[in-house]
Amino acid sequence: MTMSSAKTTEKPRGAKLDLKVIGPIVALIVLILIGMSLNPNFLSYANITNVLARSAFIGIIAVGMTFVITAGGLDLSVGSMAAFVAGLMILTMNLLTDSMGIGVDVILIGIALSLVAGLIAGLVNGLLITKVGIEAFIVTLGTMGIYRSLITWLADGGTLSLGFEMRELYRPVYYGGIFGVTWPIIAFFVVALLGEIVMRHTAFGRHCAAIGSNEKVARYSAVSVLKVRLATYTLLGLLVGFAVVMYVPRLGSASSSTGLLWELEAIAAVIIGGTLLKGGFGRVWGTVVGVLILSLIGNILNLTDFVSPYLNGAIQGVVIILAVVLQRSRSTDR
Amino acid sequence: MGGAYAMTSPILALEGVSKSFGPIEILHSVDFALRPGEIHALIGENGAGKSTTMKIIAGYLDASGGKVTCDGAPATFTSSREAEARGIVMIHQEFNLAEHLGVDQNIFLGREIKKGWRLDHAAMRQKTQELLDQLNCRIDPSQPVSSLSVPDKQMVEIAKALSRDLRVLIMDEPTAVLTERECEILFQQVERLRDQGVAILYTSHKLSEVKRICDRVSVLRDGAMVKSGPVSEISEDEMATAMVGRELTDLYPAKAIPQDKILLEVENLSVPGKVDHASLHLRRGEVLGIGGLVGSGRTEFAEAIAGLRKRSGQVRLNGQELPADDVRAAMNAGLVYLTEDRKGAGLLLEKGLRENLTLPYLEQFGRPLIDRHSEEAALEKAIADFAIRVPSPDMLVGNLSGGNQQKLLLAKTLLNDPQVIIIDEPTRGIDIGTKQQIYDLIAKLAADGHAIIVISSEMPELIGLASRALVMHAGHVVGEVAGEEVTEQNIVRLAMGLTGHGEDAA
């Protein structure tokens, strides 16, 4: 131990550190170059806006996931949770339309409900993990099944749709914007920026990393491990609710296939961005880069007929595994 | 002792061996030989190059220059596996055991005995039993390693080494985690191996131990071999002087005189299954020692006082009651605990010094945003105040030597100038130079009016530091000695449960 440590000390650290930091950025730039060479429309305003707006849901969730994973946790339920919250929101708004009519107040209630429902769902996950002491993987695997089943039941196996007029009124939240930037992109940017600041410059972010790195050390240093951990899951739930607020106006509907595999994409984005899956180190900007990498892969496949878009998942899978292999090779012989 | 073998030719020898990492040479032309039937001590301060030397011998590292010979022929082990195949085995400080597997499964891990394609459980169990018998170790071969005590785990490591025609045994501070009684058992086994003709390399920070069981001693300082010879010809003082490179004056500073004011009172504290109605009181300016065997409940007692464990009973600081199981409250009231488990509970090894130093008191460094500059200022101050030696301030704590880690942990624990400081094993696994610095610090803190509890397995440390000592045995405080009565004999008798018993506790 003492020895191998001496070894790492003497290594030229600069070069190693740089690669670690810029790895995901290099991958992103390479992808953009590939996209540009394959299709001249790749960098068009319409395409970029489209890619970024579609990334926003997973992106907002992935920012929350970064905190959960950094603190040594995991949440598999976010995709189902999003579908369930979306269904709840649509049902409530339709119900309120009957009594209150079409109006912004119904939308505001719907938004509040979505945020609160997400927060509560996250809180439930967190309480089961921290207070009851069940492993995060098991708890969220369970709630994943529960929420998925509940949305299927709520929609009676079909699709829950927002009333037509309500949909028209709510639509601008996804499609509108200012200065040509749509709201989902702005929301994603703001959440990511705040997340980065919280992770790097606040006690909460530092505590998450400490807990993920060594829970016992954190506890002996008077960090309230359970509270911080609970907060990470609750924050993630709240962000899922926020993502739903952006998602519902896009299609105006929710079904049993809403948010399918979002949890895996969010986790993958976090890992590609350089956050350690075992916890202890996380960076939000890396997660943003990870989200963009995953979206661009899909986008490039759609824009070219070089490779079938049906292979999207396969290529994303290869990227995820590569990212983890790279992560491992730089944290060996500790 | 082992004299008969002393002049036989070495099994393993290093001749002019050097080792560089990058541009920095950390071993300079080291000569070293291990002979059959000889216990050879390799001592030196942290960072002197002991571990590197051991790892070169055990095949974990290649030498950058010089010659490694095995049985007279040049040896280049490409891996520790190859070295093990030739009977050269290293027992690491952190054991290499699979906690969830049984003793027998561990001993034959990777070299399982098979009957056709199936594992031959009976044969492996029987062989394990034979090895354990040979070591006089009474544990069940099928027991999972996780259920064993630390010394028993060490016996399993030795049995594992024995199972493969042991010729050279390399032991990296085997007694660092043992109590004195457990050490005695280990010494008997080591001496037995020596008598069977095994060459043993032994490292330790405890010079009395070296004197007691080793035949030959070599001293490394700053990567060079500065002294080597038969133990019978070198006194402990000479060893220490060679290690440190200067004369060591008295290791322990003068004891501070306790003031009258009682700062901490603990009454009838119990931790289920660990501590039973233990009480103590502590004055300003006092250094109180707590002795006892590992497992006597002393660490649990301390952790319960510091709010790290659930407990019953009262803890009062300055007359103010401290809530149970609330570290934050204890810390804010000015009572802190420095853990014995530096790597497992004290420091984040994968983080830098700054993150570690400020972790318990982050909110004092700015809310909501942490002020990086004031953190760096605090680190600079800590590095200066505690004489922490760091090649670069942004290095990972895991890469610091044990002594420097301990200084950082002290700096972290003392960051908010607490009134009561409980230090569990203040100098475990650190070199004598740093030890002296830590002893001076403890004495200075007491002289400044702090109240200090020192828990230690090392008798000389308790005796040298404490003006009064409690002794624990099986969860009870079984006795108290003060002033002139703080002697090794008194403490050991109490710790073994010889005089007094549970009844005296309350």
Side-chain angles (χ1 to χ4, degrees), chain B residues 57-253:
Chain B
I57 293 174
Y60 288 90
L61 281 176
D62 289 329
S64 309
K67 248 187 354 185
V68 182
T69 58
C70 181
D71 298 317
T76 44
F77 303 125
T78 50
S79 68
S80 58
R81 230 188 150 83
E82 205 173 301
E84 279 179 17
R86 300 186 65 164
I88 301 161
V89 178
M90 174 160 175
I91 298 182
H92 295 261
Q93 227 172 335
E94 289 98 16
F95 303 133
N96 259 328
L97 296 171
E99 292 275 323
H100 297 286
L101 296 185
V103 173
D104 52 346
Q105 288 165 325
N106 263 289
I107 286 179
F108 289 98
L109 195 63
R111 302 170 302 124
E112 287 82 0
I113 302 176
K114 287 180 189 152
K115 216 170 12 186
W117 56 272
R118 293 180 306 127
L119 294 178
D120 189 348
H121 294 290
M124 287 191 279
R125 193 153 297 176
Q126 195 206 334
K127 270 240 139 131
T128 303
Q129 189 65 59
E130 285 167 16
L131 290 166
L132 293 173
D133 287 346
Q134 207 179 326
L135 291 169
N136 284 331
C137 180
R138 276 182 251 283
I139 51 176
D140 180 358
S142 58
Q143 216 172 329
V145 163
S146 56
S147 69
L148 298 178
S149 66
V150 171
D152 280 340
K153 283 183 190 173
Q154 202 158 38
M155 286 299 147
V156 174
E157 280 278 15
I158 295 176
K160 196 167 137 189
L162 280 178
S163 72
R164 41 189 134 195
D165 290 328
L166 185 62
R167 297 181 68 215
V168 176
L169 181 63
I170 301 164
M171 305 182 86
D172 188 4
E173 284 187 48
T175 57
V177 289
L178 301 185
T179 60
E180 308 219 343
R181 189 179 51 162
E182 292 160 351
C183 289
E184 279 307 314
I185 299 168
L186 177 77
F187 294 159
Q188 286 168 20
Q189 303 307 334
V190 172
E191 281 169 352
R192 266 240 311 259
L193 291 173
R194 188 251 322 267
D195 295 340
Q196 288 166 13
V198 175
I200 294 162
L201 192 167
Y202 188 94
T203 67
S204 177
H205 284 304
K206 302 175 190 168
L207 299 180
S208 55
E209 234 172 71
V210 170
K211 197 73 187 161
R212 153 96 169 65
I213 66 156
C214 296
D215 304 306
R216 185 174 285 275
V217 58
S218 294
V219 186
L220 274 173
R221 187 173 73 230
D222 298 331
M225 198 62 87
V226 290
K227 201 176 189 83
S228 186
V231 165
S232 52
E233 292 170 16
I234 303 176
S235 72
E236 283 179 46
D237 278 345
E238 283 170 324
M239 291 181 205
T241 308
M243 275 166 63
V244 182
R246 59 184 156 87
E247 288 290 333
L248 270 179
T249 47
D250 197 9
L251 193 52
Y252 298 98

Side-chain angles (χ1 to χ4, degrees), chain A residues 259-296:
Chain A
L260 212 56
L261 296 184
W262 280 11
E263 62 283 342
L264 293 188
E265 278 203 46
I267 294 169
V270 171
I271 301 310
I272 292 171
T275 296
L276 294 176
L277 183 58
K278 67 179 172 66
F281 175 78
R283 51 178 187 217
V284 172
W285 70 260
T287 298
V288 172
V289 172
V291 170
L292 294 180
I293 287 176
L294 288 178
S295 307
L296 281 184

